[in-house]
Amino acid sequence: MLIKLTGGKVYDPENKVSGAVRDIYVEDGKIVAPKPDAKPDKTYDVKGKVVMAGAIDPHTHIGGGKMTIARMLLPEDHLKDKVARTDLTRAGTGHAVPSTLITGYRYAEMGYTACFEPAMLPANARQAHMEMGDTPMVDKGAFAMLGSDDYFLRQLSGKKDFEAIKDYVAWTMHAAQAIAVKVVNPGGISAFKFNQRKLDLDEEHEYYGVTPRQIILNLARALQELGVTHPLHIHGCNLGVPGNIESTLDTIRAAEGLRIHMTHTQFLSYGTEGDRKFSSGAARLAELVNKSPNISIDVGQVMFGQTCTASGDSMRQYAIAKSAHPKKPVVMDIECDAGCGVVPMRYRDKSFVNALQWAIGLETFLLVDDPWRMFLTTDHPNGAPFYTYPHLIRLLMDKSFRDDAFQKINADAQGASILPTIAREYTLDDIAIMTRAGPARSLGLKDRGHLGVGAAADITVYKDDKNREAMFATPEMVFKGGELVVKSGKVVKVVQGATHVARPDYDRAIEKPLKDYFDRYHTVRMENFKLADDEIVKGDKGAIVVQPTAARRAV
């Protein structure tokens, strides 16, 4: 079946197209070369509309144990947002932490066609994939958490051969069906189990004797040598702690030129200036990122209102539990692996700290020069639910709107922020890069995030509205694999996306010591720890797409 979208203003940064009027042809779910003499089976007139690839969220918590806990923890939150069953869609609930089905519908209705869970515990990979598999409309994938697990820390402590470390990283990615690797508070989650309450970049874990710097360098180097496209995804030391900008800058310098991605940097960019000993480190972060081509970041923007923080960083979640709203935090340990903390949180525009967090995030967005190394996130749901993205986009694109919003926040926070002095306004090209082309390139999604020949026909069509919030909140049309799935901001067809994984090579001989380790320390056998393909692809749950990895290189 041949489909034609005619006359749209196309924004496709990967192919250097900026607002040019183009016709787009789609056949068998792929974008094909123009066929001017062919008679399309279906033509969509999109004259005057903005046409982009389907949006990609590279960091959104949509699956796994922490999300299940968060959903169970806030029944009062569900009552605020009930979605009735229709002839097409199932019923669901959830405001800060929507149910799986509602998550998929809402993402699609905003023009998103792919979402990636950034913190999947290998021990909990089965549940994470089940929840992602139950999330319709979007492609998905997950990042395996390493760096506080007992086996890896034993390897570092015992000064194991680096090839064995690489084999373990690759084996874990296979076993958990992951596309990338994330490290959360490197070593700190484990250190918390030994009653350490902080672990800075060069502090030693009191039991294993290793430092976060060693953890980061070994994981980053392993991924680079294994040929995994997405660099090590780093949730750094001292998240949420005033003064943590020093640890963040040190972490970037510690990479020694290796590619790394620093995630939800707003929570890692705090200084200690001023009477309250809490200040913005955004300018210092942006200055170093702008000088460091090996670094990419996302922000984790705070938006005002009720949400629920959910993180593997049990050390830091324990520390903020006293600020929970409502007062029912959960912090837990996970066998031989890491941990989990779920803390409901309400961000208030009249709170000095919350208002300055909001400003720090926007400062970071506006001061980092290269949109290819900056991705748009709220660290859903930690900074805010994902459906606040259209409002965030307007703040970035419209300085007068941003200035008006700034005048409404806490007065002391206003005095501590340079936000009004920043004149930059994001363009549609910038948004297309940050929400499409950049994440696709970073994750190795070669046929996503662009509208070139051979790309998957994941396409979003917007009305070119000066009110960018209204524009990005309600797309005119969304196509998934060439099928019209959303019209006028409402789902018109329910589809299932694929699961993206990376499978770097490794020496299978590692399974012998791993089996011995599992038999001695785990309550699950190694064979059952591994997640099979048919546990992900069942019935209509989509397909597995294996991302290519570069040939394994010798040390």
Side-chain angles (χ1 to χ4, degrees), residues 449-461:
H450 69 95
L451 299 172
V453 172
D458 293 354
I459 305 167
T460 304
V461 179

Side-chain angles (χ1 to χ4, degrees), residues 260-281:
I260 60 172
H261 178 86
M262 296 295 295
T263 192
H264 44 61
T265 55
Q266 178 279 133
F267 291 106
L268 292 158
S269 298
Y270 303 153
T272 56
E273 297 174 350
D275 293 341
R276 305 200 191 193
K277 305 300 181 185
F278 183 71
S279 60
S280 172

Side-chain angles (χ1 to χ4, degrees), residues 53 59 92 118-119 142 181 207 238-239 298 308 337 351 356 445 451 489 503:
H59 186 111
V181 170
Y207 180 77
N238 301 317
L239 182 135
D298 63 77
C308 184
D337 206 319
S351 158
L356 192 52
L445 311 177
L451 299 172
R503 293 175 177 170

Side-chain angles (χ1 to χ4, degrees), residues 213-240:
R213 183 189 294 267
Q214 292 172 303
I215 292 168
I216 289 168
L217 282 173
N218 275 274
L219 288 174
R221 181 184 167 200
L223 290 170
Q224 190 156 305
E225 293 190 10
L226 289 167
V228 176
T229 303
H230 189 61
L232 179 63
H233 201 88
I234 302 174
H235 161 143
C237 309
N238 301 317
L239 182 135

Side-chain angles (χ1 to χ4, degrees), residues 482-493:
E483 295 186 274
L484 181 65
V485 296
V486 171
K487 186 173 182 180
S488 300
K490 295 295 180 184
V491 171
V492 295
K493 182 172 185 179

